[in-house]
mmCIF file of all heavy atoms in Angstrom:
data_model
loop_
_atom_site.group_PDB
_atom_site.id
_atom_site.type_symbol
_atom_site.label_atom_id
_atom_site.label_comp_id
_atom_site.label_asym_id
_atom_site.label_seq_id
_atom_site.Cartn_x
_atom_site.Cartn_y
_atom_site.Cartn_z
ATOM 1 N N GLY J 123 10.649 23.468 -4.455
ATOM 2 C CA GLY J 123 11.319 23.250 -3.241
ATOM 3 C C GLY J 123 11.722 21.754 -3.056
ATOM 4 O O GLY J 123 11.465 20.979 -3.936
ATOM 5 N N PRO J 124 12.393 21.392 -1.932
ATOM 6 C CA PRO J 124 12.668 22.277 -0.829
ATOM 7 C C PRO J 124 13.946 23.160 -1.077
ATOM 8 O O PRO J 124 14.985 22.646 -1.459
ATOM 9 C CB PRO J 124 12.909 21.304 0.330
ATOM 10 C CG PRO J 124 13.508 20.073 -0.396
ATOM 11 C CD PRO J 124 12.870 20.024 -1.748
ATOM 12 N N VAL J 125 13.785 24.411 -0.785
ATOM 13 C CA VAL J 125 14.920 25.326 -0.835
ATOM 14 C C VAL J 125 14.591 26.666 -0.119
ATOM 15 O O VAL J 125 13.408 27.086 -0.125
ATOM 16 C CB VAL J 125 15.289 25.654 -2.342
ATOM 17 C CG1 VAL J 125 14.151 26.359 -3.033
ATOM 18 C CG2 VAL J 125 16.595 26.539 -2.376
ATOM 19 N N SER J 126 15.568 27.238 0.547
ATOM 20 C CA SER J 126 15.407 28.478 1.235
ATOM 21 C C SER J 126 16.215 29.530 0.495
ATOM 22 O O SER J 126 17.431 29.552 0.600
ATOM 23 C CB SER J 126 15.877 28.347 2.690
ATOM 24 O OG SER J 126 15.653 29.614 3.356
ATOM 25 N N LEU J 127 15.526 30.442 -0.214
ATOM 26 C CA LEU J 127 16.186 31.435 -1.020
ATOM 27 C C LEU J 127 16.143 32.848 -0.431
ATOM 28 O O LEU J 127 15.048 33.285 -0.092
ATOM 29 C CB LEU J 127 15.589 31.461 -2.427
ATOM 30 C CG LEU J 127 15.704 30.267 -3.344
ATOM 31 C CD1 LEU J 127 14.807 30.334 -4.523
ATOM 32 C CD2 LEU J 127 17.157 30.174 -3.844
ATOM 33 N N SER J 128 17.274 33.414 -0.290
ATOM 34 C CA SER J 128 17.297 34.809 0.144
ATOM 35 C C SER J 128 16.986 35.775 -1.047
ATOM 36 O O SER J 128 16.541 36.865 -0.886
ATOM 37 C CB SER J 128 18.612 35.191 0.795
ATOM 38 O OG SER J 128 19.681 34.970 -0.128
ATOM 39 N N SER J 129 17.289 35.297 -2.268
ATOM 40 C CA SER J 129 16.956 36.048 -3.498
ATOM 41 C C SER J 129 16.917 35.124 -4.671
ATOM 42 O O SER J 129 17.632 34.162 -4.741
ATOM 43 C CB SER J 129 17.921 37.197 -3.676
ATOM 44 O OG SER J 129 19.185 36.689 -4.127
ATOM 45 N N LEU J 130 16.092 35.538 -5.656
ATOM 46 C CA LEU J 130 15.999 34.856 -6.955
ATOM 47 C C LEU J 130 15.942 36.006 -7.957
ATOM 48 O O LEU J 130 14.983 36.830 -8.015
ATOM 49 C CB LEU J 130 14.756 34.015 -7.014
ATOM 50 C CG LEU J 130 14.711 33.139 -8.290
ATOM 51 C CD1 LEU J 130 15.814 32.081 -8.312
ATOM 52 C CD2 LEU J 130 13.289 32.383 -8.407
ATOM 53 N N ARG J 131 16.933 36.060 -8.813
ATOM 54 C CA ARG J 131 17.047 37.183 -9.786
ATOM 55 C C ARG J 131 17.206 36.610 -11.194
ATOM 56 O O ARG J 131 17.634 35.516 -11.412
ATOM 57 C CB ARG J 131 18.267 38.068 -9.456
ATOM 58 C CG ARG J 131 18.356 38.566 -8.053
ATOM 59 C CD ARG J 131 19.538 39.406 -7.774
ATOM 60 N NE ARG J 131 19.515 40.714 -8.415
ATOM 61 C CZ ARG J 131 20.170 41.118 -9.392
ATOM 62 N NH1 ARG J 131 21.038 40.327 -10.024
ATOM 63 N NH2 ARG J 131 20.007 42.367 -9.916
ATOM 64 N N ALA J 132 16.804 37.370 -12.175
ATOM 65 C CA ALA J 132 16.932 37.016 -13.539
ATOM 66 C C ALA J 132 17.394 38.178 -14.392
ATOM 67 O O ALA J 132 16.810 39.318 -14.250
ATOM 68 C CB ALA J 132 15.598 36.474 -14.125
ATOM 69 N N ASN J 133 18.367 38.022 -15.176
ATOM 70 C CA ASN J 133 18.948 39.057 -16.071
ATOM 71 C C ASN J 133 18.752 38.642 -17.486
ATOM 72 O O ASN J 133 19.075 37.515 -17.897
ATOM 73 C CB ASN J 133 20.368 39.246 -15.772
ATOM 74 C CG ASN J 133 20.659 39.821 -14.400
ATOM 75 O OD1 ASN J 133 19.890 40.590 -13.848
ATOM 76 N ND2 ASN J 133 21.704 39.368 -13.786
ATOM 77 N N LEU J 134 18.285 39.543 -18.364
ATOM 78 C CA LEU J 134 18.231 39.425 -19.801
ATOM 79 C C LEU J 134 19.490 39.895 -20.318
ATOM 80 O O LEU J 134 19.878 41.097 -20.105
ATOM 81 C CB LEU J 134 17.022 40.132 -20.375
ATOM 82 C CG LEU J 134 16.936 40.267 -21.916
ATOM 83 C CD1 LEU J 134 16.715 38.827 -22.459
ATOM 84 C CD2 LEU J 134 15.860 41.172 -22.358
ATOM 85 N N ARG J 135 20.269 39.038 -21.072
ATOM 86 C CA ARG J 135 21.646 39.408 -21.529
ATOM 87 C C ARG J 135 21.761 39.079 -23.024
ATOM 88 O O ARG J 135 21.166 38.160 -23.527
ATOM 89 C CB ARG J 135 22.707 38.617 -20.812
ATOM 90 C CG ARG J 135 22.841 38.951 -19.266
ATOM 91 C CD ARG J 135 24.030 38.295 -18.717
ATOM 92 N NE ARG J 135 25.265 38.773 -19.251
ATOM 93 C CZ ARG J 135 26.392 37.993 -19.558
ATOM 94 N NH1 ARG J 135 26.352 36.750 -19.343
ATOM 95 N NH2 ARG J 135 27.475 38.588 -20.024
ATOM 96 N N CYS J 136 22.643 39.834 -23.650
ATOM 97 C CA CYS J 136 23.035 39.564 -24.997
ATOM 98 C C CYS J 136 24.586 39.679 -25.041
ATOM 99 O O CYS J 136 25.129 40.685 -24.565
ATOM 100 C CB CYS J 136 22.456 40.463 -26.029
ATOM 101 S SG CYS J 136 23.010 40.252 -27.754
ATOM 102 N N VAL J 137 25.229 38.646 -25.548
ATOM 103 C CA VAL J 137 26.707 38.649 -25.641
ATOM 104 C C VAL J 137 27.143 38.295 -27.009
ATOM 105 O O VAL J 137 26.511 37.594 -27.758
ATOM 106 C CB VAL J 137 27.332 37.631 -24.591
ATOM 107 C CG1 VAL J 137 27.010 37.975 -23.197
ATOM 108 C CG2 VAL J 137 26.875 36.182 -24.925
ATOM 109 N N GLU J 138 28.276 38.898 -27.369
ATOM 110 C CA GLU J 138 28.940 38.644 -28.674
ATOM 111 C C GLU J 138 30.169 37.757 -28.360
ATOM 112 O O GLU J 138 30.972 38.065 -27.509
ATOM 113 C CB GLU J 138 29.380 39.920 -29.291
ATOM 114 C CG GLU J 138 30.130 39.747 -30.595
ATOM 115 C CD GLU J 138 30.736 41.063 -31.075
ATOM 116 O OE1 GLU J 138 31.806 41.495 -30.551
ATOM 117 O OE2 GLU J 138 30.171 41.669 -31.987
#
Side-chain angles (χ1 to χ4, degrees):
V125 62
S126 181
L127 291 169
S128 58
S129 70
L130 187 66
R131 305 177 75 251
N133 295 322
L134 174 65
R135 294 186 67 217
C136 178
V137 296
E138 175 189 78

